Amino acid sequence: MVTRVLAVLAAVAMVVGAIVVRANLDNNGAGGTTSPTTLRIVCATELAAVCEALDGQVGTTVEDASTTAARLTTVGDGQEPPLDGWLVTAPWPEIVDGARSRAGSEPFLDVGDVLARSPVVLAVNTTRSKVLAARCNAEVGWKCVGDAAGVAWQDLPNGRPEWGPVKVGHPPATTAGGLTIAGAAAVGYFDGSTDLSATELADRGFQNWLRRLESGPQIPGSPLLTMLSRPSAFDVVGALEAEAGPAIATASATKPVLLYPSPVATADVVLATSDGGAGRRVAELLAGTAARRALAAAGWRVDGVPPAAGIRTSVKLPTTSNLPEPDVLDALRSAVEQAGR
Amino acid sequence: MSGFPTPNPYGSNRKRRSPVGAVVIAVIVIAALVQTCAKDDSGSGSSGNANEGLADVPNGCTAVDAASSPEKVELLTKLAATFNRSAAAKEGGCTVIRVQKKSSGVATAALAAGWKDPAVDGPQPTIWSPAASSWGAVLNFRLEKDGQPAMAPADAKPFMLTPLVLAMPKPMAEALGYPATPIGFADLIALSQDPDGWASKGHPEWGKFKLGKTNPNFSTSALSATIAQYYAATGKQSGLSLEDLNDPKVEEFSRAVESSVVHYGDITLTFLNNWFKNDARGTALTYVSAVAVEEKSVIDYNRGNPDGITDPGERPRPPKVPLVAVYPKEGTLFSDNPFFVLEAPWVTDAQKKGARAFERFVQEPANQRQVLEFGFRPGNPAVPVSAPIVAANGVNPTEPQTELQVPSPPVLAGVIDKWAEHRKSARVLLVIDVSGSMGEEGAAGATKLDLAKEAAVGALGQFKDDDEVGLRVFSTGIGPDTHSDYVDLVPIGTIGVNGETLRAKIRSLIPTNGTPLYTVARDSHAEMRKSYDPSRINAVLLLTDGRNEDERNKDLDATLAALGEGNEGQATSPVRLFPIAYGSGADLGVLEQMADATSAKAYDASNPATIKDVFTNVVSNF
């Protein structure tokens, strides 16, 4: 008898417990809008440090900008987007909304203020930089680098045969940094003009130049880190200062020369959101000290936060990014991909 | 698998609940954890029987399996053990890294096929670290051809680095102007084609220039060397194309280079071990003139440890003639040992997270400094290249000056195919033991002879049509009166003509009497020397499961002396003897002495189930 009573009590307790648990789960999960644990942030690969700093407070994903862009472009009107905040560099959100508009879907991303910035740099093998400078009439810029790409060093004044061809590298244009660098290179080719269109990109001279620029080694991983660990791989690497500055500062081998080609172009970090409430909470998180410090520690220039080692604050940044318009950058992404084949 | 996070079912926002509720929740959580662990375990493929030697995975932990190329398995295993005990392994859960050895080519094939048989291949890996990232490109290419998504991500970080170099005895390199004069592949290839050989450089006593190469199907350094060879043929340093490979001039050049190959090795360690033994005999300079190896192998060799592994009781002793690393002036290729966190269907999010934590751990400067101890350059640029990568070990940390571009995957595949066409032809006598003990069980339902027959027939497919192969079987009293211990079933002839006969004869073999090992080894070797063909690689492949049981010939010393007369470093008509010690009764020690006497290598197939792989490895020497 006692056993039966206990069994009934236990059964009742389990039912009550299950109801309590269910109620809790419902409270936490309803629409994903009431608890901070349901916030979902996607960071572009170059901004992984921010997602790592916020991991545990929110759900985080790190992936290349083009991967997120492809997901967002195909979200149907009225469907819930697969994220609450996308931390990326401009103008990737505009590229997504542009693609959505062209596909007949509603643009849905709100873009906040610039959170951090980083200029585009060229890291050049120290020994060979003088030879390149002579070729470039003392000012090593994108136009000259592209012209020299693939040329045998021995064909340049004071170049040596054992150096092989001039090898140029940069991250792929499918990444946040890579697209910024490609934009800076194109602006450099067109003498600093950011007022570009598809017509300029179709120019045969530009396309030939782009093919030379893209003819460098295809080595997995970061070209800048590859250059630092095996200097024979690349002679010139385009990168963001956020990566290059700290990495060169801590590198043990012969450090490459860091140049800021003119006009200085910048990768500007923005937060794109798709939902008012959740978006505001993500924005508050990213405006917080932890996120700002994480950005600065990762080499980004953040107003009011001391920069990481290797960030040359004496180089002032322009007021705008000095990049072409979003649709032109999107077209450039395709052109770079074609040229690299 | 979605790339976006899902809400954590065991969320951190705990609230005060009734005791009954707490019990219920505990039950639910435990059940959920058990379910999670079961998924992780099956996801890692850890339930198979190929997990012997792998670390146990405690309940609640996620097994993250890593497939590593052999040269770094010792280091990675050590780092994994440290990681598994560290706080880093416990962040956000519990990760246990388990490292298994898998050569790059074999792992590429297994992954391309979906790593379907963990019982044979080992657990399905989350991390794959082949010797070079080009293997990742080859894998993705094969998957793409089969309509499958890529598995090897493009953003893999290098774990450690070593460049391909041309290892040469120091006096030989100096005769070419080392270290002041840059030396390239083209210089060595030109010398290999010079009929005067080393006499043209003032050293007739060194004979002809002899090139040593390994098999690009198995060896990363061989693949890199073959790529470099084709670049040298075209005069290019980048952009090697399929059109280049099919250019008749390039083909002619390639055939000429291969003709100067003294012999092939399955892996470079086989070469270096033989070179070291020749050094002890004073024949290092006549054994081989140059071999394409990784820089770290030169360091190992000069430290007196050519295979890079210190066995218990081993006292490394530097060679009499040290090697130097020649960094080809045309540029070279790197083995960059990437750390691929695979995008494979069996990899769970928890395993990926654990793999990333381990990746960060091995990149830490303190751990990166350990790669130097093994002769590699650190992958993390914050760690300086230092000893033992110093001039005293025959290497130069400031080299190379430039690199050759790794070709696209279709061209890489084309390089391997072309090598198979252009490689030096072989002339091989297969000598198979058909003694009574070969009738014993080798695996369920199959005798040792059954397994050996299947492996031998399979290995015939590795020969090209103009390779010459013959078949001899041996057992006491099996042959005619003139040589009663062996009988020739198929005389040596080209595979193109003999192939079907060889297969039929091998399939018809049956076990008979005893094992006249010494006599058949000596006679087979002597006959191959007598009919030596200088345009081919001449060898005997001898498979036996026993010990010498011949009362008429028990003289091992005389047998070894006879075999030694055909040694690569001493004879003008060298024939190598590759014995396979098959089954637990085989006399591996004696077979190793026989192989050493001919600068070859004995293979251990004491587990009959491995005979197929062993046959494949042996035939890759031809």
Side-chain angles (χ1 to χ4, degrees):
Chain A
M1 183 65 182
V2 173
T3 311
R4 280 185 187 173
V5 170
L6 283 175
V8 170
L9 282 174
V12 170
M14 288 182 83
V15 170
V16 170
I19 291 168
V20 170
V21 171
R22 176 71 209 178
N24 259 320
L25 292 175
D26 286 349
N27 285 342
N28 289 341
T33 57
T34 58
S35 167
T37 59
T38 59
L39 289 177
R40 300 159 301 168
I41 300 181
V42 176
C43 296
T45 310
E46 296 83 346
L47 299 159
V50 181
C51 267
E52 281 166 18
L54 299 178
D55 198 20
Q57 299 177 60
V58 293
T60 60
T61 299
V62 176
E63 61 190 17
D64 282 351
S66 61
T67 305
T68 317
R71 292 176 199 276
L72 295 176
T73 301
T74 54
V75 173
D77 287 342
Q79 284 184 335
E80 188 185 350
L83 51 77
D84 299 311
W86 182 23
L87 191 65
V88 69
T89 55
W92 277 96
E94 290 88 341
I95 288 174
V96 167
D97 275 349
R100 287 181 62 81
S101 294
R102 287 194 296 278
S105 301
E106 286 291 321
F108 68 170
L109 292 172
D110 295 324
V111 182
D113 293 338
V114 172
L115 300 169
R117 305 183 75 191
S118 186
V120 173
V121 296
L122 284 169
V124 187
N125 178 300
T126 303
T127 314
R128 301 169 198 187
S129 64
K130 292 191 182 95
V131 177
L132 191 61
R135 155 95 178 199
C136 298
N137 296 324
E139 190 174 344
V140 177
W142 281 106
K143 173 86 167 62
C144 177
V145 166
D147 287 342
V151 173
W153 278 104
Q154 65 179 331
D155 293 341
L156 305 182
N158 298 318
R160 299 188 56 82
E162 61 268 28
W163 295 350
V166 177
K167 298 176 290 295
V168 181
H170 61 78
T174 50
T175 63
L179 187 60
T180 305
I181 292 161
V187 168
Y189 176 84
F190 289 108
D191 298 324
S193 170
T194 59
D195 184 20
L196 305 179
S197 70
T199 310
E200 277 82 23
L201 300 189
D203 174 75
R204 185 171 291 176
F206 174 71
Q207 292 201 339
N208 288 338
W209 177 84
L210 193 59
R211 262 195 292 279
R212 279 198 300 279
L213 191 68
E214 297 301 312
S215 67
Q218 303 292 317
I219 299 174
S222 153
L224 190 276
L225 295 181
T226 300
M227 179 193 213
L228 293 177
S229 59
R230 40 191 261 225
S232 50
F234 292 106
D235 301 309
V236 183
V237 165
L240 294 183
E241 182 197 54
E243 182 191 25
I248 292 173
T250 57
S252 59
T254 307
K255 297 172 193 281
V257 177
L258 203 57
L259 306 173
Y260 293 73
S262 179
V264 173
T266 62
D268 295 346
V269 179
V270 294
L271 175 69
T273 57
S274 62
D275 174 86
R280 268 194 301 280
R281 285 209 307 281
V282 173
E284 284 165 13
L285 264 179
L286 289 171
T289 309
R292 285 162 52 78
R293 282 187 180 159
L295 275 168
W300 294 86
R301 299 190 188 196
V302 183
D303 278 347
V305 183
I311 301 305
R312 208 179 297 168
T313 49
S314 58
V315 177
K316 300 298 176 196
L317 302 187
T319 52
T320 63
S321 67
N322 273 336
L323 294 177
E325 291 297 310
D327 58 331
V328 179
L329 273 177
D330 198 19
L332 179 61
R333 179 161 56 121
S334 305
V336 169
E337 193 182 329
Q338 287 286 336
R341 280 180 187 163
Chain B
M1 193 184 319
S2 164
F4 291 89
T6 52
N8 180 355
Y10 324 117
S12 59
N13 50 337
R14 293 176 185 162
K15 293 181 181 177
R16 188 178 291 273
R17 296 184 175 91
S18 71
V20 174
V23 170
V24 174
I25 288 167
V27 170
I28 293 169
V29 168
I30 289 166
L33 274 176
V34 168
Q35 202 173 6
T36 304
C37 290
K39 185 182 170 195
D40 286 346
D41 284 346
S42 64
S44 70
S46 57
S47 59
N49 58 7
N51 295 337
E52 285 174 27
L54 293 175
D56 289 334
V57 181
N59 282 341
C61 291
T62 300
V64 174
D65 287 298
S68 162
S69 54
E71 65 281 357
K72 59 178 175 287
V73 76
E74 188 183 344
L75 173 58
L76 268 187
T77 303
K78 188 176 153 195
L79 289 172
T82 311
F83 172 81
N84 291 342
R85 292 191 299 270
S86 73
K90 309 291 184 289
E91 280 172 18
C94 164
T95 299
V96 175
I97 303 288
R98 308 188 302 179
V99 181
Q100 61 173 315
K101 182 165 72 177
K102 209 76 178 167
S103 74
S104 306
V106 172
T108 303
L111 287 166
W115 206 285
K116 289 202 175 90
D117 197 350
V120 173
D121 294 325
Q124 292 170 314
T126 298
I127 299 168
W128 176 40
S129 186
S133 49
S134 47
W135 290 107
V138 170
L139 168 65
N140 289 344
F141 174 66
R142 288 187 188 170
L143 290 168
E144 188 186 351
K145 268 181 37 176
D146 292 342
Q148 304 289 321
M151 278 191 198
D155 61 350
K157 284 184 183 160
F159 170 52
M160 56 189 196
L161 304 162
T162 188
L164 179 82
V165 302
L166 294 160
M168 294 186 75
K170 193 175 181 191
M172 286 180 156
E174 286 171 342
L176 297 177
Y178 171 91
T181 307
I183 302 168
F185 284 106
D187 298 319
L188 298 191
I189 288 166
L191 184 56
S192 75
Q193 303 305 302
D194 189 332
D196 292 336
W198 282 108
S200 68
K201 302 294 176 188
H203 289 280
E205 72 278 16
W206 294 339
K208 287 203 72 174
F209 178 91
K210 296 175 186 169
L211 188 62
K213 286 189 73 178
T214 43
N215 187 321
N217 285 293
F218 297 89
S219 158
T220 301
S221 53
L223 179 58
S224 297
T226 310
I227 292 167
Q229 176 181 312
Y230 280 103
Y231 269 124
T234 60
K236 289 179 166 184
Q237 290 173 305
S238 63
L240 189 69
S241 66
L242 287 169
E243 289 75 21
D244 291 330
L245 299 184
N246 291 320
D247 182 332
K249 283 181 186 162
V250 171
E251 293 200 295
E252 187 185 345
F253 181 95
S254 181
R255 282 202 174 89
V257 173
E258 298 297 336
S259 72
S260 72
V261 169
V262 56
H263 63 75
Y264 298 103
D266 53 351
I267 52 174
T268 53
L269 299 186
T270 308
F271 249 116
L272 293 166
N273 275 326
N274 286 336
W275 212 345
F276 200 74
K277 285 168 187 165
N278 272 277
D279 179 81
R281 289 195 283 259
T283 55
L285 294 169
T286 48
Y287 171 58
V288 68
S289 311
V291 180
V293 299
E294 291 173 338
E295 179 188 62
K296 71 95 62 186
S297 295
V298 174
I299 296 168
D300 289 339
Y301 186 94
N302 287 339
R303 285 164 149 182
N305 191 15
D307 59 9
I309 300 164
T310 310
D311 295 322
E314 186 179 344
R315 300 280 183 277
R317 178 181 45 78
K320 294 173 198 161
V321 181
L323 301 181
V324 294
V326 170
Y327 300 85
K329 67 183 179 191
E330 300 95 339
T332 189
L333 295 112
F334 264 84
S335 290
D336 56 352
N337 295 275
F339 227 70
F340 291 118
V341 179
L342 292 171
E343 294 289 344
W346 57 80
V347 176
T348 66
D349 283 347
Q351 286 173 322
K352 270 189 193 171
K353 197 170 177 182
R356 292 280 177 217
F358 185 52
E359 184 185 28
R360 285 193 294 274
F361 179 79
V362 301
Q363 287 290 335
E364 287 174 8
N367 296 324
Q368 282 283 300
R369 275 190 278 278
Q370 294 187 45
V371 310
L372 284 162
E373 293 167 22
F374 289 78
F376 288 94
R377 303 180 181 203
N380 182 342
V383 178
V385 177
S386 57
I389 304 174
V390 291
N393 283 325
V395 299
N396 183 349
T398 67
E399 290 283 352
Q401 292 293 311
T402 191
E403 294 182 26
L404 297 170
Q405 194 177 53
V406 178
S408 65
V411 178
L412 279 176
V415 164
I416 292 174
D417 290 346
K418 281 292 174 187
W419 175 82
E421 276 179 40
H422 297 161
R423 70 169 172 78
K424 192 173 185 177
S425 299
R427 186 166 177 277
V428 180
L429 181 60
L430 298 180
V431 182
I432 296 180
D433 184 346
V434 289
S435 61
S437 55
M438 290 289 280
E440 294 167 4
E441 187 174 71
T447 66
K448 285 193 284 187
L449 187 56
D450 289 338
L451 296 175
K453 282 154 58 174
E454 186 190 347
V457 168
L460 289 178
Q462 283 178 256
F463 289 99
K464 57 178 180 174
D465 275 358
D466 80 333
D467 282 335
E468 293 179 347
V469 181
L471 175 64
R472 168 174 292 182
V473 293
F474 71 100
S475 187
T476 46
I478 194 177
D481 290 342
T482 48
H483 51 82
S484 61
D485 294 332
Y486 51 88
V487 61
D488 291 328
L489 295 183
V490 184
I492 289 185
T494 61
I495 281 278
V497 174
N498 269 3
E500 280 313 309
T501 310
L502 279 164
R503 286 182 187 88
K505 290 289 184 184
I506 289 171
R507 287 190 182 111
S508 68
L509 297 180
I510 52 171
T512 56
N513 307 322
T515 310
L517 178 60
Y518 297 168
T519 297
V520 76
R522 182 198 61 203
D523 288 4
S524 301
H525 188 260
E527 283 170 36
M528 286 295 282
R529 283 196 66 202
K530 205 180 288 177
S531 57
Y532 179 81
D533 181 344
S535 69
R536 294 174 182 271
I537 291 164
N538 296 259
V540 174
L541 189 165
L542 190 155
L543 178 142
T544 179
D545 76 330
R547 297 163 183 279
N548 186 54
E549 295 168 331
D550 186 358
E551 286 300 320
R552 297 158 301 167
N553 182 1
K554 297 194 289 186
D555 192 344
L556 176 61
D557 289 342
T559 304
L560 294 176
L563 295 173
E565 285 173 16
N567 183 277
E568 201 83 59
Q570 298 169 37
T572 52
S573 54
V575 172
R576 297 195 302 156
L577 172 68
F578 291 92
I580 298 176
Y582 184 43
S584 56
D587 197 341
L588 180 59
V590 162
L591 295 175
E592 281 176 339
Q593 290 182 64
M594 287 181 172
D596 282 353
T598 67
S599 288
K601 181 186 173 187
Y603 287 80
D604 180 2
S606 50
N607 174 3
T610 64
I611 187 62
K612 212 168 174 178
D613 288 342
V614 170
F615 242 107
T616 300
N617 289 339
V618 178
V619 174
S620 67
N621 286 283
F622 311 136

